[in-house]
Amino acid sequence: MKAKRIKRKSNLRIVLSTTIPIIIIFSILVYLYDTYKSIDINNSKYETEKIGAQSTIEEQTVENAEENSKNVADILENTMQSVVGISKLKDNGSSIFSNSNEKSLGLGTGVIISENGYILSNEHVTGSKYSTCYITLENSKKYDGTVVWSDTDLDLSITKIDAKELKYITLGDSSKIRVGETVYAIGNPIGFEFRRTVTSGIISSKNRTIKLEEKNNVSYMSDLIQTDATINPGNSGGPLIYPNGEVIRNKYCKNIFSRRNWICNSN
C-alpha cells in the first residue's frame, strides 16, 4: 500500500512538471498575440510617404533624353541668328576661298550685342580701331563694318554696321559657372563654308593665366576660362554659351563696356 502511494505521488510530480511549463508557454503566446493585435500599423500612409519621397526624382527615360536634346537644339538654332562671319577682305566670289586664303582674309566670328548693329569680336579678327572689315549675317546679308573700339591687351573689339532690328545675343554671368558644366561654342572654323559650326564640351577650368609672346613683346592674359569644346581657327570672336543660350562673359568685358551699355562674351 505504501509503495502504491509513493508511485502515485511520483506520477503526479511528472504530470505537474510537464503541464505547468506548457501552461506558462501557452499563456505567453496568448499575451504576445493579443499585444501584437492591438498595434495599429497604417500601411497605406507608409506607402504614400514612400512614394512621395521617390517622386521628387525625375525618372530618366529615352523620352526625357530626346526632349532635352530637342530643347538644346532649338536654343542653339535661335542663338545662331546672332552669330556673324567677319572678314578683313570683301568676298566677291561664291566661296570665301575663291581668291584668298584664310590668313590673308582674317576670317573669324563675331556676335551681335545690340539690335542697332554693334558686334563684338577679337581685335586680331576685325583689326584695330577705325579699321574696316566685312560682316556676313545669318541671313547672308553683307555689310561694311567700322571698328569703333578695340583693346590689344584684351584682344577685343567692337564693330558697327549700319543695320537695325537685329537679333542680338543674351548675356550670362561667368562668375556663376562651375567646372564640369556643359557649354557650346559657335563659330566659323576654316572659313564661311563651315559657318556656324557648333561644338560642345565642358568648363575644364577657371581663372587660367597664359603667357603671350609675339616678336619681342611679352604679355599675359588672366582670368581665362578653359574648355575642351573644339575651337579651330575661324572660331575667334565667337560665343561660348550655356545650354540655355546665354553667352559666358568675363569681368573685363563687363567693366569696360557697362558705361556704354555694351557687354561682351569671354571667348
Side-chain angles (χ1 to χ4, degrees):
M1 222 31 208
K2 190 175 181 180
K4 285 182 180 181
R5 284 178 188 169
I6 293 172
K7 187 175 181 182
R8 229 184 260 121
K9 287 181 181 180
S10 177
N11 290 337
L12 183 60
R13 285 196 194 98
I14 292 172
V15 171
L16 291 174
S17 64
T18 305
T19 304
I20 289 173
I22 292 174
I23 293 171
I24 292 172
I25 293 171
F26 179 77
S27 299
I28 292 172
L29 291 174
V30 170
Y31 172 78
L32 291 175
Y33 175 77
D34 288 338
T35 303
Y36 177 77
K37 222 166 99 178
S38 65
I39 298 175
D40 183 19
I41 299 177
N42 193 339
N43 288 324
S44 61
K45 181 179 179 182
Y46 175 76
E47 291 297 330
T48 301
E49 290 177 351
K50 185 177 179 182
I51 293 171
Q54 292 177 341
S55 65
T56 59
I57 302 174
E58 183 180 354
E59 184 181 1
Q60 296 299 313
T61 65
V62 174
E63 289 77 12
N64 288 341
E66 289 178 349
E67 183 64 24
N68 291 337
S69 177
K70 182 178 181 299
N71 290 340
V72 171
D74 290 341
I75 290 169
L76 291 175
E77 187 176 293
N78 185 59
T79 303
M80 278 190 270
Q81 297 178 42
S82 304
V83 178
V84 304
I86 300 177
S87 172
K88 288 180 182 177
L89 298 179
K90 186 173 284 188
D91 170 25
N92 294 316
S94 59
S95 168
I96 196 69
F97 292 114
S98 56
N99 297 313
S100 305
N101 59 34
E102 177 193 344
K103 185 174 181 180
S104 64
L105 284 170
L107 299 179
T109 310
V111 289
I112 302 171
I113 56 174
S114 72
E115 62 87 24
N116 61 338
Y118 285 96
I119 295 168
L120 170 74
S121 186
N122 291 128
E123 187 188 70
H124 75 266
V125 173
T126 64
S128 57
K129 189 175 181 180
Y130 304 125
S131 296
T132 298
C133 58
Y134 303 96
I135 309 296
T136 303
L137 303 186
E138 187 265 346
N139 59 11
S140 297
K141 288 186 177 180
K142 299 176 182 179
Y143 294 86
D144 293 356
T146 301
V147 180
V148 296
W149 178 90
S150 69
D151 187 295
T152 302
D153 292 333
L154 298 178
D155 191 20
L156 294 174
S157 67
I158 295 289
T159 300
K160 180 68 172 67
I161 62 174
D162 186 15
K164 294 182 179 180
E165 297 181 358
L166 299 177
K167 175 75 175 178
Y168 60 91
I169 210 148
T170 305
L171 304 168
D173 186 353
S174 66
S175 66
K176 296 179 181 179
I177 66 172
R178 300 172 62 191
V179 173
E181 285 188 312
T182 300
V183 290
Y184 299 89
I186 303 177
N188 302 308
I190 323 174
F192 295 163
E193 289 184 337
F194 295 91
R195 56 188 175 276
R196 294 172 189 83
T197 293
V198 178
T199 55
S200 67
I202 61 170
I203 297 296
S204 303
S205 186
K206 301 189 298 181
N207 303 319
R208 292 294 198 196
T209 299
I210 60 173
K211 181 179 180 181
L212 304 175
E213 296 183 68
E214 186 175 359
K215 297 180 180 179
N216 295 325
N217 297 324
V218 177
S219 60
Y220 295 86
M221 295 188 73
S222 59
D223 291 319
L224 300 177
I225 298 169
Q226 180 183 345
T227 178
D228 66 349
T230 303
I231 306 292
N232 291 309
N235 272 95
S236 296
L240 185 67
I241 64 175
Y242 298 106
N244 65 1
E246 292 183 349
V247 177
I248 301 175
R249 61 173 186 195
N250 62 23
K251 67 180 182 181
Y252 291 121
C253 298
K254 183 176 181 181
N255 293 338
I256 290 169
F257 300 125
S258 59
R259 64 180 180 272
R260 304 186 186 183
N261 296 320
W262 298 335
I263 304 178
C264 71
N265 69 317
S266 63
N267 206 19

